[in-house]
């Protein structure tokens, strides 16, 4: 039963990531480019898999930098800041570094917009889910007693996959010089809110006294709205400049 629960959690987390990578066209594109690189038509550096790996490495570097900043400016007072809204706000400000990291990832990926944002988003999300969930599941989900918290963490990881792809799209849109000024303002506001999204959602969930499953539903609904708005902006820009 323990092994079955652990395997179920692993599949629930990582299978959606694999299917997203494979069905998005990146898998086929990477395979095709590897064949072409064998005949010296393209360089192998354009393979989507290695670009995802590159995004994961930048994610690791970004998290290390954030940990260094948090340890420097917020030492040994996590418990006190937990009840301090201003302190939590300042800690969430450090998450702006994620936007910088995604910008660096997108700048290093050649190709069209859809392949850039998918490669950056999937690579970033995969690195996060491996580093933040693998040890948790290995230690907790293999326990003798069943706990719904690990299933909830799995669903939350799938929501984060969508969120990271949306964030990568917003960063790419913000970097476009041909984006209308009004849309750029909207994209900028959405990016700033993304950095504080975790804090705002936690405050909302606490305010309405939502349980774990209702909290997941709220996070999924907010992510859906974010994704829909981003898709509308991206689709409008795509029709104008013909990036599909």
């Amino acid at each position: 039963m323990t092994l079955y629960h652990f395997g179920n959690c692993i599949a629930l987390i990582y299978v959606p990531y694999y299917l997203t990578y494979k069905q998005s066209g990146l898998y086929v594109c990477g395979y095709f480019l590897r064949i072409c690189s064998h005949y010296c038509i393209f360089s192998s550096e354009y393979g989507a898999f290695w670009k995802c790996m590159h995004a994961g490495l930048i994610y690791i570097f970004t998290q290390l930098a954030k940990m260094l900043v948090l340890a420097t400016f917020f030492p040994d007072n996590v418990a006190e800041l937990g009840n301090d809204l201003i302190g939590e706000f300042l800690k969430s400000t450090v998450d702006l570094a994620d936007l910088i990291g995604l910008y660096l990832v997108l700048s290093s990926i050649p190709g069209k917009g859809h392949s850039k944002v998918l490669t950056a988003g999937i690579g970033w999300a995969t690195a996060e889910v491996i580093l933040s969930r693998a040890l948790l599941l290995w230690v907790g989900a293999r326990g003798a007693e069943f706990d719904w918290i690990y299933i909830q963490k799995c669903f939350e990881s799938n929501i984060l996959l969508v969120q990271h792809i949306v964030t990568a799209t917003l960063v790419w849109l913000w970097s476009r010089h041909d984006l209308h000024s009004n849309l750029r303002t909207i994209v900028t506001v959405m990016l700033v809110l993304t950095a504080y999204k975790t804090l705002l959602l936690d405050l909302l969930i606490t305010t309405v006294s939502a349980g774990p499953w209702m909290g997941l539903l709220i996070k999924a609904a907010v992510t859906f709205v974010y994704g829909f708005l981003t898709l509308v902006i991206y689709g409008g820009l795509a029709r104008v400049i013909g990036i599909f």
Side-chain angles (χ1 to χ4, degrees), residues 105-137:
V105 173
L106 290 167
S107 300
S108 65
I109 299 176
K112 294 184 178 181
H114 66 280
S115 62
K116 291 167 69 76
V117 299
L118 285 174
T119 302
I122 293 174
W124 192 273
T126 302
E128 183 191 41
V129 76
I130 291 176
L131 294 178
S132 63
R133 296 289 191 265
L135 183 60
L136 173 67
L137 293 180

PDB file of all heavy atoms in Angstrom, residues 105-137:
ATOM      1  N   VAL A 105      16.594  33.178 -19.162  1.00  0.00           N
ATOM      2  CA  VAL A 105      16.329  31.924 -19.874  1.00  0.00           C
ATOM      3  C   VAL A 105      15.782  32.212 -21.266  1.00  0.00           C
ATOM      4  O   VAL A 105      16.248  31.657 -22.272  1.00  0.00           O
ATOM      5  CB  VAL A 105      15.333  31.051 -19.091  1.00  0.00           C
ATOM      6  CG1 VAL A 105      14.937  29.833 -19.912  1.00  0.00           C
ATOM      7  CG2 VAL A 105      15.945  30.597 -17.771  1.00  0.00           C
ATOM      8  N   LEU A 106      14.785  33.093 -21.349  1.00  0.00           N
ATOM      9  CA  LEU A 106      14.179  33.416 -22.636  1.00  0.00           C
ATOM     10  C   LEU A 106      15.177  34.075 -23.587  1.00  0.00           C
ATOM     11  O   LEU A 106      15.131  33.856 -24.801  1.00  0.00           O
ATOM     12  CB  LEU A 106      12.981  34.343 -22.422  1.00  0.00           C
ATOM     13  CG  LEU A 106      11.756  33.707 -21.756  1.00  0.00           C
ATOM     14  CD1 LEU A 106      10.766  34.776 -21.320  1.00  0.00           C
ATOM     15  CD2 LEU A 106      11.075  32.734 -22.709  1.00  0.00           C
ATOM     16  N   SER A 107      16.097  34.869 -23.022  1.00  0.00           N
ATOM     17  CA  SER A 107      17.090  35.540 -23.866  1.00  0.00           C
ATOM     18  C   SER A 107      18.073  34.557 -24.481  1.00  0.00           C
ATOM     19  O   SER A 107      18.691  34.862 -25.509  1.00  0.00           O
ATOM     20  CB  SER A 107      17.846  36.590 -23.039  1.00  0.00           C
ATOM     21  OG  SER A 107      16.961  37.566 -22.519  1.00  0.00           O
ATOM     22  N   SER A 108      18.221  33.408 -23.853  1.00  0.00           N
ATOM     23  CA  SER A 108      19.204  32.429 -24.336  1.00  0.00           C
ATOM     24  C   SER A 108      18.601  31.377 -25.249  1.00  0.00           C
ATOM     25  O   SER A 108      19.312  30.499 -25.730  1.00  0.00           O
ATOM     26  CB  SER A 108      19.863  31.732 -23.142  1.00  0.00           C
ATOM     27  OG  SER A 108      18.913  30.962 -22.420  1.00  0.00           O
ATOM     28  N   ILE A 109      17.279  31.457 -25.495  1.00  0.00           N
ATOM     29  CA  ILE A 109      16.603  30.444 -26.311  1.00  0.00           C
ATOM     30  C   ILE A 109      16.273  31.037 -27.674  1.00  0.00           C
ATOM     31  O   ILE A 109      15.552  32.038 -27.757  1.00  0.00           O
ATOM     32  CB  ILE A 109      15.316  29.950 -25.632  1.00  0.00           C
ATOM     33  CG1 ILE A 109      15.631  29.319 -24.283  1.00  0.00           C
ATOM     34  CG2 ILE A 109      14.590  28.942 -26.528  1.00  0.00           C
ATOM     35  CD1 ILE A 109      14.404  28.904 -23.511  1.00  0.00           C
ATOM     36  N   PRO A 110      16.773  30.460 -28.762  1.00  0.00           N
ATOM     37  CA  PRO A 110      16.403  30.941 -30.095  1.00  0.00           C
ATOM     38  C   PRO A 110      15.052  30.369 -30.514  1.00  0.00           C
ATOM     39  O   PRO A 110      14.524  29.455 -29.884  1.00  0.00           O
ATOM     40  CB  PRO A 110      17.520  30.389 -30.982  1.00  0.00           C
ATOM     41  CG  PRO A 110      17.918  29.110 -30.291  1.00  0.00           C
ATOM     42  CD  PRO A 110      17.744  29.358 -28.806  1.00  0.00           C
ATOM     43  N   GLY A 111      14.491  30.910 -31.568  1.00  0.00           N
ATOM     44  CA  GLY A 111      13.253  30.361 -32.092  1.00  0.00           C
ATOM     45  C   GLY A 111      12.074  31.299 -31.927  1.00  0.00           C
ATOM     46  O   GLY A 111      12.208  32.452 -31.508  1.00  0.00           O
ATOM     47  N   LYS A 112      10.872  30.786 -32.239  1.00  0.00           N
ATOM     48  CA  LYS A 112       9.654  31.566 -32.180  1.00  0.00           C
ATOM     49  C   LYS A 112       9.140  31.665 -30.751  1.00  0.00           C
ATOM     50  O   LYS A 112       9.592  30.954 -29.853  1.00  0.00           O
ATOM     51  CB  LYS A 112       8.590  30.949 -33.084  1.00  0.00           C
ATOM     52  CG  LYS A 112       8.946  31.000 -34.567  1.00  0.00           C
ATOM     53  CD  LYS A 112       7.808  30.469 -35.419  1.00  0.00           C
ATOM     54  CE  LYS A 112       8.146  30.553 -36.905  1.00  0.00           C
ATOM     55  NZ  LYS A 112       7.039  30.066 -37.767  1.00  0.00           N
ATOM     56  N   GLY A 113       8.151  32.549 -30.581  1.00  0.00           N
ATOM     57  CA  GLY A 113       7.655  32.844 -29.247  1.00  0.00           C
ATOM     58  C   GLY A 113       7.103  31.648 -28.511  1.00  0.00           C
ATOM     59  O   GLY A 113       7.401  31.425 -27.334  1.00  0.00           O
ATOM     60  N   HIS A 114       6.285  30.813 -29.200  1.00  0.00           N
ATOM     61  CA  HIS A 114       5.641  29.701 -28.500  1.00  0.00           C
ATOM     62  C   HIS A 114       6.659  28.677 -28.018  1.00  0.00           C
ATOM     63  O   HIS A 114       6.534  28.114 -26.922  1.00  0.00           O
ATOM     64  CB  HIS A 114       4.598  29.043 -29.404  1.00  0.00           C
ATOM     65  CG  HIS A 114       5.164  28.367 -30.605  1.00  0.00           C
ATOM     66  ND1 HIS A 114       5.526  29.056 -31.740  1.00  0.00           N
ATOM     67  CD2 HIS A 114       5.439  27.062 -30.857  1.00  0.00           C
ATOM     68  CE1 HIS A 114       6.003  28.205 -32.637  1.00  0.00           C
ATOM     69  NE2 HIS A 114       5.957  26.995 -32.133  1.00  0.00           N
ATOM     70  N   SER A 115       7.703  28.422 -28.818  1.00  0.00           N
ATOM     71  CA  SER A 115       8.721  27.460 -28.387  1.00  0.00           C
ATOM     72  C   SER A 115       9.573  28.019 -27.262  1.00  0.00           C
ATOM     73  O   SER A 115       9.990  27.282 -26.355  1.00  0.00           O
ATOM     74  CB  SER A 115       9.608  27.057 -29.569  1.00  0.00           C
ATOM     75  OG  SER A 115      10.300  28.181 -30.088  1.00  0.00           O
ATOM     76  N   LYS A 116       9.831  29.324 -27.277  1.00  0.00           N
ATOM     77  CA  LYS A 116      10.625  29.960 -26.225  1.00  0.00           C
ATOM     78  C   LYS A 116       9.921  29.881 -24.874  1.00  0.00           C
ATOM     79  O   LYS A 116      10.510  29.476 -23.869  1.00  0.00           O
ATOM     80  CB  LYS A 116      10.911  31.421 -26.590  1.00  0.00           C
ATOM     81  CG  LYS A 116      11.866  31.606 -27.751  1.00  0.00           C
ATOM     82  CD  LYS A 116      11.868  33.025 -28.267  1.00  0.00           C
ATOM     83  CE  LYS A 116      12.477  33.996 -27.291  1.00  0.00           C
ATOM     84  NZ  LYS A 116      13.947  33.903 -27.273  1.00  0.00           N
ATOM     85  N   VAL A 117       8.630  30.268 -24.853  1.00  0.00           N
ATOM     86  CA  VAL A 117       7.920  30.308 -23.580  1.00  0.00           C
ATOM     87  C   VAL A 117       7.664  28.904 -23.042  1.00  0.00           C
ATOM     88  O   VAL A 117       7.710  28.671 -21.823  1.00  0.00           O
ATOM     89  CB  VAL A 117       6.607  31.104 -23.709  1.00  0.00           C
ATOM     90  CG1 VAL A 117       6.882  32.541 -24.114  1.00  0.00           C
ATOM     91  CG2 VAL A 117       5.656  30.463 -24.699  1.00  0.00           C
ATOM     92  N   LEU A 118       7.399  27.945 -23.936  1.00  0.00           N
ATOM     93  CA  LEU A 118       7.177  26.573 -23.476  1.00  0.00           C
ATOM     94  C   LEU A 118       8.461  25.955 -22.943  1.00  0.00           C
ATOM     95  O   LEU A 118       8.455  25.298 -21.899  1.00  0.00           O
ATOM     96  CB  LEU A 118       6.623  25.728 -24.624  1.00  0.00           C
ATOM     97  CG  LEU A 118       5.158  25.959 -24.984  1.00  0.00           C
ATOM     98  CD1 LEU A 118       4.777  25.161 -26.226  1.00  0.00           C
ATOM     99  CD2 LEU A 118       4.244  25.586 -23.822  1.00  0.00           C
ATOM    100  N   THR A 119       9.567  26.180 -23.635  1.00  0.00           N
ATOM    101  CA  THR A 119      10.842  25.634 -23.172  1.00  0.00           C
ATOM    102  C   THR A 119      11.223  26.233 -21.831  1.00  0.00           C
ATOM    103  O   THR A 119      11.623  25.522 -20.896  1.00  0.00           O
ATOM    104  CB  THR A 119      11.946  25.908 -24.206  1.00  0.00           C
ATOM    105  OG1 THR A 119      11.583  25.327 -25.456  1.00  0.00           O
ATOM    106  CG2 THR A 119      13.262  25.313 -23.748  1.00  0.00           C
ATOM    107  N   ALA A 120      11.121  27.564 -21.716  1.00  0.00           N
ATOM    108  CA  ALA A 120      11.476  28.229 -20.466  1.00  0.00           C
ATOM    109  C   ALA A 120      10.537  27.815 -19.332  1.00  0.00           C
ATOM    110  O   ALA A 120      10.989  27.498 -18.223  1.00  0.00           O
ATOM    111  CB  ALA A 120      11.441  29.741 -20.657  1.00  0.00           C
ATOM    112  N   GLY A 121       9.229  27.804 -19.609  1.00  0.00           N
ATOM    113  CA  GLY A 121       8.266  27.474 -18.569  1.00  0.00           C
ATOM    114  C   GLY A 121       8.364  26.041 -18.091  1.00  0.00           C
ATOM    115  O   GLY A 121       8.365  25.770 -16.887  1.00  0.00           O
ATOM    116  N   ILE A 122       8.491  25.102 -19.032  1.00  0.00           N
ATOM    117  CA  ILE A 122       8.571  23.683 -18.656  1.00  0.00           C
ATOM    118  C   ILE A 122       9.888  23.389 -17.950  1.00  0.00           C
ATOM    119  O   ILE A 122       9.926  22.661 -16.945  1.00  0.00           O
ATOM    120  CB  ILE A 122       8.400  22.794 -19.899  1.00  0.00           C
ATOM    121  CG1 ILE A 122       6.976  22.922 -20.455  1.00  0.00           C
ATOM    122  CG2 ILE A 122       8.692  21.332 -19.574  1.00  0.00           C
ATOM    123  CD1 ILE A 122       6.752  22.190 -21.760  1.00  0.00           C
ATOM    124  N   GLY A 123      10.987  23.932 -18.465  1.00  0.00           N
ATOM    125  CA  GLY A 123      12.279  23.717 -17.812  1.00  0.00           C
ATOM    126  C   GLY A 123      12.309  24.278 -16.409  1.00  0.00           C
ATOM    127  O   GLY A 123      12.795  23.633 -15.467  1.00  0.00           O
ATOM    128  N   TRP A 124      11.773  25.481 -16.244  1.00  0.00           N
ATOM    129  CA  TRP A 124      11.734  26.130 -14.924  1.00  0.00           C
ATOM    130  C   TRP A 124      10.850  25.352 -13.955  1.00  0.00           C
ATOM    131  O   TRP A 124      11.228  25.091 -12.808  1.00  0.00           O
ATOM    132  CB  TRP A 124      11.213  27.550 -15.100  1.00  0.00           C
ATOM    133  CG  TRP A 124      11.361  28.446 -13.920  1.00  0.00           C
ATOM    134  CD1 TRP A 124      10.502  28.581 -12.877  1.00  0.00           C
ATOM    135  CD2 TRP A 124      12.451  29.345 -13.656  1.00  0.00           C
ATOM    136  NE1 TRP A 124      10.963  29.512 -11.987  1.00  0.00           N
ATOM    137  CE2 TRP A 124      12.158  29.995 -12.433  1.00  0.00           C
ATOM    138  CE3 TRP A 124      13.618  29.668 -14.329  1.00  0.00           C
ATOM    139  CZ2 TRP A 124      13.015  30.952 -11.889  1.00  0.00           C
ATOM    140  CZ3 TRP A 124      14.465  30.620 -13.785  1.00  0.00           C
ATOM    141  CH2 TRP A 124      14.167  31.250 -12.584  1.00  0.00           C
ATOM    142  N   ALA A 125       9.659  24.964 -14.422  1.00  0.00           N
ATOM    143  CA  ALA A 125       8.719  24.243 -13.565  1.00  0.00           C
ATOM    144  C   ALA A 125       9.250  22.862 -13.183  1.00  0.00           C
ATOM    145  O   ALA A 125       9.068  22.408 -12.046  1.00  0.00           O
ATOM    146  CB  ALA A 125       7.373  24.108 -14.272  1.00  0.00           C
ATOM    147  N   THR A 126       9.907  22.185 -14.132  1.00  0.00           N
ATOM    148  CA  THR A 126      10.431  20.853 -13.842  1.00  0.00           C
ATOM    149  C   THR A 126      11.528  20.907 -12.796  1.00  0.00           C
ATOM    150  O   THR A 126      11.581  20.065 -11.885  1.00  0.00           O
ATOM    151  CB  THR A 126      10.978  20.205 -15.130  1.00  0.00           C
ATOM    152  OG1 THR A 126       9.921  20.143 -16.107  1.00  0.00           O
ATOM    153  CG2 THR A 126      11.478  18.799 -14.859  1.00  0.00           C
ATOM    154  N   ALA A 127      12.408  21.900 -12.908  1.00  0.00           N
ATOM    155  CA  ALA A 127      13.461  22.053 -11.904  1.00  0.00           C
ATOM    156  C   ALA A 127      12.865  22.306 -10.523  1.00  0.00           C
ATOM    157  O   ALA A 127      13.318  21.747  -9.520  1.00  0.00           O
ATOM    158  CB  ALA A 127      14.400  23.195 -12.301  1.00  0.00           C
ATOM    159  N   GLU A 128      11.813  23.116 -10.484  1.00  0.00           N
ATOM    160  CA  GLU A 128      11.194  23.402  -9.193  1.00  0.00           C
ATOM    161  C   GLU A 128      10.540  22.166  -8.592  1.00  0.00           C
ATOM    162  O   GLU A 128      10.685  21.887  -7.398  1.00  0.00           O
ATOM    163  CB  GLU A 128      10.154  24.510  -9.337  1.00  0.00           C
ATOM    164  CG  GLU A 128       9.528  24.888  -7.999  1.00  0.00           C
ATOM    165  CD  GLU A 128       8.319  25.790  -8.134  1.00  0.00           C
ATOM    166  OE1 GLU A 128       7.507  25.556  -9.037  1.00  0.00           O
ATOM    167  OE2 GLU A 128       8.194  26.704  -7.321  1.00  0.00           O
ATOM    168  N   VAL A 129       9.800  21.423  -9.419  1.00  0.00           N
ATOM    169  CA  VAL A 129       9.075  20.277  -8.878  1.00  0.00           C
ATOM    170  C   VAL A 129      10.037  19.182  -8.416  1.00  0.00           C
ATOM    171  O   VAL A 129       9.760  18.460  -7.445  1.00  0.00           O
ATOM    172  CB  VAL A 129       8.069  19.735  -9.914  1.00  0.00           C
ATOM    173  CG1 VAL A 129       8.748  18.928 -11.002  1.00  0.00           C
ATOM    174  CG2 VAL A 129       6.990  18.896  -9.233  1.00  0.00           C
ATOM    175  N   ILE A 130      11.168  19.040  -9.085  1.00  0.00           N
ATOM    176  CA  ILE A 130      12.152  18.034  -8.662  1.00  0.00           C
ATOM    177  C   ILE A 130      12.786  18.428  -7.344  1.00  0.00           C
ATOM    178  O   ILE A 130      12.911  17.614  -6.415  1.00  0.00           O
ATOM    179  CB  ILE A 130      13.220  17.839  -9.749  1.00  0.00           C
ATOM    180  CG1 ILE A 130      12.604  17.156 -10.983  1.00  0.00           C
ATOM    181  CG2 ILE A 130      14.385  17.002  -9.222  1.00  0.00           C
ATOM    182  CD1 ILE A 130      13.564  17.022 -12.143  1.00  0.00           C
ATOM    183  N   LEU A 131      13.175  19.692  -7.228  1.00  0.00           N
ATOM    184  CA  LEU A 131      13.869  20.139  -6.026  1.00  0.00           C
ATOM    185  C   LEU A 131      12.949  20.298  -4.823  1.00  0.00           C
ATOM    186  O   LEU A 131      13.378  20.114  -3.690  1.00  0.00           O
ATOM    187  CB  LEU A 131      14.580  21.470  -6.308  1.00  0.00           C
ATOM    188  CG  LEU A 131      15.724  21.413  -7.322  1.00  0.00           C
ATOM    189  CD1 LEU A 131      16.306  22.793  -7.553  1.00  0.00           C
ATOM    190  CD2 LEU A 131      16.810  20.452  -6.860  1.00  0.00           C
ATOM    191  N   SER A 132      11.676  20.638  -5.075  1.00  0.00           N
ATOM    192  CA  SER A 132      10.775  20.924  -3.959  1.00  0.00           C
ATOM    193  C   SER A 132       9.849  19.773  -3.593  1.00  0.00           C
ATOM    194  O   SER A 132       9.278  19.759  -2.500  1.00  0.00           O
ATOM    195  CB  SER A 132       9.919  22.156  -4.286  1.00  0.00           C
ATOM    196  OG  SER A 132       9.091  21.905  -5.406  1.00  0.00           O
ATOM    197  N   ARG A 133       9.683  18.797  -4.494  1.00  0.00           N
ATOM    198  CA  ARG A 133       8.716  17.735  -4.234  1.00  0.00           C
ATOM    199  C   ARG A 133       9.342  16.346  -4.109  1.00  0.00           C
ATOM    200  O   ARG A 133       8.781  15.488  -3.429  1.00  0.00           O
ATOM    201  CB  ARG A 133       7.672  17.695  -5.363  1.00  0.00           C
ATOM    202  CG  ARG A 133       6.807  18.937  -5.474  1.00  0.00           C
ATOM    203  CD  ARG A 133       5.827  19.037  -4.331  1.00  0.00           C
ATOM    204  NE  ARG A 133       4.834  20.070  -4.568  1.00  0.00           N
ATOM    205  CZ  ARG A 133       4.927  21.310  -4.129  1.00  0.00           C
ATOM    206  NH1 ARG A 133       5.992  21.671  -3.410  1.00  0.00           N
ATOM    207  NH2 ARG A 133       3.976  22.199  -4.359  1.00  0.00           N
ATOM    208  N   ALA A 134      10.474  16.116  -4.753  1.00  0.00           N
ATOM    209  CA  ALA A 134      11.039  14.766  -4.779  1.00  0.00           C
ATOM    210  C   ALA A 134      11.364  14.266  -3.367  1.00  0.00           C
ATOM    211  O   ALA A 134      10.961  13.166  -2.971  1.00  0.00           O
ATOM    212  CB  ALA A 134      12.291  14.734  -5.655  1.00  0.00           C
ATOM    213  N   LEU A 135      12.086  15.067  -2.595  1.00  0.00           N
ATOM    214  CA  LEU A 135      12.450  14.657  -1.237  1.00  0.00           C
ATOM    215  C   LEU A 135      11.224  14.557  -0.343  1.00  0.00           C
ATOM    216  O   LEU A 135      11.125  13.645   0.484  1.00  0.00           O
ATOM    217  CB  LEU A 135      13.456  15.648  -0.653  1.00  0.00           C
ATOM    218  CG  LEU A 135      13.991  15.308   0.748  1.00  0.00           C
ATOM    219  CD1 LEU A 135      14.706  13.967   0.732  1.00  0.00           C
ATOM    220  CD2 LEU A 135      14.920  16.408   1.249  1.00  0.00           C
ATOM    221  N   LEU A 136      10.276  15.485  -0.527  1.00  0.00           N
ATOM    222  CA  LEU A 136       9.052  15.455   0.272  1.00  0.00           C
ATOM    223  C   LEU A 136       8.289  14.150   0.068  1.00  0.00           C
ATOM    224  O   LEU A 136       7.836  13.517   1.032  1.00  0.00           O
ATOM    225  CB  LEU A 136       8.170  16.648  -0.112  1.00  0.00           C
ATOM    226  CG  LEU A 136       6.769  16.683   0.516  1.00  0.00           C
ATOM    227  CD1 LEU A 136       6.867  16.903   2.012  1.00  0.00           C
ATOM    228  CD2 LEU A 136       5.922  17.778  -0.132  1.00  0.00           C
ATOM    229  N   LEU A 137       8.159  13.726  -1.189  1.00  0.00           N
ATOM    230  CA  LEU A 137       7.439  12.490  -1.467  1.00  0.00           C
ATOM    231  C   LEU A 137       8.217  11.276  -0.997  1.00  0.00           C
ATOM    232  O   LEU A 137       7.644  10.309  -0.495  1.00  0.00           O
ATOM    233  CB  LEU A 137       7.140  12.386  -2.962  1.00  0.00           C
ATOM    234  CG  LEU A 137       6.163  13.413  -3.534  1.00  0.00           C
ATOM    235  CD1 LEU A 137       5.971  13.187  -5.017  1.00  0.00           C
ATOM    236  CD2 LEU A 137       4.830  13.350  -2.814  1.00  0.00           C
TER     237      LEU A 137
END
